[in-house]
Amino acid sequence: MPNINDYRDIVGQDIIDELHILGEKLQDKTVQNVNSTAVGGGVAEILTRMVPLLKQLGVNARWDVIKGNEKFFNITKKIHNALHGVNEDISSEDLEYFLEVNRENVEEISSFDDIIFVHDPQPIALIEKKKDIGKKWIWRCHIDFTDPQPDVMNFLKSYIEKYDSAVFSAPAFSRDISIPQILISPSIDPLSDKNKELMPEIIYSVLERFEVDRDRPVVTQISRFDYLKDPLGVIEVYDKVKKYIDIQLVLAGGGATDDPEGIKVLEEVRSKAADDPDIHVILLPPGSDIEINALQRGSTVILQKSLKEGFGLTVAEALWKAKPVIASAVGGISLQIKHKYSGILTHSIDGTSHYLKQLLNEPEYAQKLAVNGKEHIKNNFLITRHICDYLLLFLSLYHKDDVIYL
Ligand code: UDP
């Protein structure tokens, strides 16, 4: 794990000084993060980096993962999909079971700290404990809330409103709720194995290991195998472009312990890819950070054809590596890409295919987009900015009406 001061070369001394000053003001506080998976997906990715860095700044941070069986995670996946606007049938028994598992988890958590920072809907009902223990509670939503199924949203709303504040990733996700809402977008860690610079030999050896030919263009999407990431749509894009340009496609990702749908999606992707030797469907085990880093760096163009997206860390990861990105104009992706300036935003398979051909045919234009994209990520979506926002949020819980002097 890098030292917080190692980020100085990237973001400058002033930002590091600011983090130390804010951290000092929270020395006596413990922040307890709670989510539903230790590996896989963006939330785990961020917490893995965030918790040790907060500790280095003197904030006592910890991270608990709730437990659930397959039935629970099938229900939470349905809730997750419904919040993303997918029509899901969720029964009152499902919701009752969801609450029951949350209550079991409350009993299992051995102690509660000063600030309980709950991530996403899976553990949202832990808040029922607030009436017994008090403390400060924050709910952090990482998902795309533009068009949620109303009944599921209303069910959650009664829990959200018990928190002291709610954090969303993009302005479009704010809701009509009675508690303060704060906009904090996610971030990537430029010094993690996932994002650090790699020697060309490492990139080449990973491409070789996955039998990807580096003399022909490589188009890549890194994602959990999830319908909302539209991997099947990506294959259609590939088919359309392959008629004109001899590309290879990499679809790489793993699962998350709280996402039981992954295996089914992976099977469909494999069957659609059939035996095309230029489509590489790669199932990555947890901890494949260097592999993902190398695949991103070894690619000609990165796609993120999500149908919904809370933020899309994979977009920030690719842009940080100065790679041209074509991504859907959904959710938090629009915060990261300004169309035709720092990447390309698309709305369809045809649109994505059109721009993919263009970027492959015009590498100088593609590189210009990528360089602008990297600058945008550097200025807005690195972990130092994210930590600063969180520290200010924690302080604001105790100093509601005060001005905080640095
Ligand atoms: N990721 C990973 N292994 C995988 C697939 C994804 O480490 O097999 C990482 C990916 O690099 C990114 C995060 O998981 O850091 C996914 O975050 P994103 O916001 O893109 O999507 P989410 O999975 O949270 O919907």
Side-chain angles (χ1 to χ4, degrees):
M1 190 71 203
N3 186 283
I4 188 75
N5 298 319
D6 298 341
Y7 294 79
R8 190 179 37 210
D9 292 346
I10 300 171
V11 298
Q13 184 66 44
D14 289 354
I15 289 182
I16 304 301
D17 289 345
E18 194 179 356
L19 293 180
H20 281 293
I21 293 167
L22 289 171
E24 235 163 70
K25 291 178 187 286
L26 284 156
Q27 301 279 306
D28 56 335
K29 300 288 181 233
T30 300
V31 180
Q32 178 176 16
N33 291 277
V34 186
N35 84 324
S36 61
T37 180
V39 285
V43 181
E45 176 78 20
I46 293 169
L47 287 175
T48 307
R49 310 302 299 177
M50 178 73 76
V51 168
L53 289 172
L54 283 172
K55 281 189 186 154
Q56 284 185 30
L57 288 165
V59 183
N60 196 3
R62 54 183 270 227
W63 175 12
D64 288 326
V65 178
I66 59 161
K67 296 195 185 92
N69 57 14
E70 201 183 335
K71 180 174 172 190
F72 175 72
F73 287 123
N74 276 323
I75 295 168
T76 58
K77 181 68 185 188
K78 282 203 281 182
I79 293 176
H80 178 90
N81 287 341
L83 291 170
H84 278 124
V86 178
N87 207 359
E88 290 279 4
D89 195 9
I90 302 168
S91 65
S92 48
E93 289 78 39
D94 285 345
L95 295 179
E96 200 36 58
Y97 190 73
F98 168 79
L99 294 176
E100 198 180 308
V101 174
N102 265 262
R103 284 174 196 136
E104 282 165 20
N105 273 285
V106 165
E107 297 314 316
E108 288 231 350
I109 294 177
S110 53
S111 62
F112 286 90
D113 292 322
D114 304 302
I115 300 171
I116 299 139
F117 200 176
V118 174
H119 298 262
D120 279 341
Q122 297 92 335
I124 195 169
L126 298 184
I127 189 70
E128 287 185 335
K129 188 79 176 172
K130 189 182 179 197
K131 59 182 182 314
D132 304 326
I133 59 165
K135 314 274 186 187
K136 303 287 185 190
W137 292 70
I138 305 169
W139 186 61
R140 207 283 183 237
C141 178
H142 294 265
I143 59 190
D144 183 340
F145 249 25
T146 33
D147 187 22
Q149 208 172 292
D151 50 343
V152 180
M153 187 62 228
N154 285 336
F155 168 77
L156 284 191
K157 196 172 160 186
S158 59
Y159 293 93
I160 298 171
E161 290 186 333
K162 294 191 170 75
Y163 283 80
D164 292 288
S165 41
V167 180
F168 296 96
S169 293
F173 306 157
S174 65
R175 310 305 308 174
D176 179 17
I177 50 176
S178 60
I179 58 166
Q181 298 176 63
I182 295 117
L183 164 67
I184 299 180
S185 29
S187 63
I188 59 161
D189 183 344
L191 299 182
S192 66
D193 282 351
K194 173 89 44 80
N195 297 310
K196 68 186 185 188
E197 293 284 344
L198 290 180
M199 305 281 280
E201 302 78 67
I202 296 181
I203 301 172
Y204 300 154
S205 79
V206 170
L207 293 179
E208 204 172 305
R209 171 141 63 92
F210 293 123
E211 297 175 0
V212 178
D213 170 9
R214 65 183 162 97
D215 296 323
R216 287 183 295 142
V218 182
V219 177
T220 296
Q221 174 161 303
I222 306 284
S223 278
R224 290 179 295 106
F225 288 95
D226 182 326
Y227 292 116
L228 291 176
K229 308 287 184 186
D230 201 15
L232 300 168
V234 171
I235 296 182
E236 286 181 43
V237 170
Y238 161 87
D239 286 338
K240 280 178 188 279
V241 175
K242 181 80 171 171
K243 293 193 184 102
Y244 305 93
I245 306 172
D246 185 17
I247 54 173
Q248 302 161 87
L249 175 65
V250 173
L251 279 170
T257 48
D258 60 352
D259 178 7
E261 242 175 18
I263 305 284
K264 185 162 164 262
V265 180
L266 176 63
E267 275 166 15
E268 279 182 48
V269 169
R270 281 196 170 132
S271 125
K272 194 168 169 101
D275 43 15
D276 185 333
D278 282 337
I279 302 182
H280 302 270
V281 180
I282 302 170
L283 179 62
L284 295 169
S288 302
D289 292 358
I290 297 285
E291 285 79 0
I292 291 175
N293 189 343
L295 287 170
Q296 288 167 329
R297 288 185 191 276
S299 297
T300 321
V301 176
I302 300 282
L303 300 184
Q304 190 57 54
K305 221 206 121 328
S306 303
L307 303 175
K308 293 280 178 177
E309 195 61 79
F311 182 70
L313 287 179
T314 49
V315 171
E317 288 161 7
L319 290 175
W320 174 249
K321 296 169 180 103
K323 287 289 153 184
V325 177
I326 303 175
S328 304
V330 294
I333 290 179
S334 311
L335 295 177
Q336 303 184 61
I337 293 182
K338 189 164 184 296
H339 185 49
K340 295 190 179 176
Y341 177 76
S342 52
I344 297 289
L345 290 176
T346 58
H347 301 86
S348 64
I349 287 173
D350 283 342
T352 309
S353 314
H354 165 84
Y355 282 111
L356 180 54
K357 272 188 281 182
Q358 184 185 4
L359 295 197
L360 291 167
N361 285 328
E362 298 176 35
E364 277 176 24
Y365 174 55
Q367 199 44 40
K368 208 171 104 197
L369 298 178
V371 168
N372 292 342
K374 176 165 186 175
E375 190 62 18
H376 184 55
I377 299 302
K378 180 178 164 190
N379 292 333
N380 298 285
F381 301 116
L382 296 188
I383 195 161
T384 39
R385 187 275 309 153
H386 199 173
I387 295 173
C388 183
D389 285 351
Y390 276 175
L391 294 177
L392 287 167
L393 168 63
F394 301 153
L395 280 171
S396 76
L397 294 171
Y398 298 97
H399 305 270
K400 266 208 166 66
D401 302 314
D402 298 359
V403 176
I404 296 165
Y405 294 101
L406 294 181

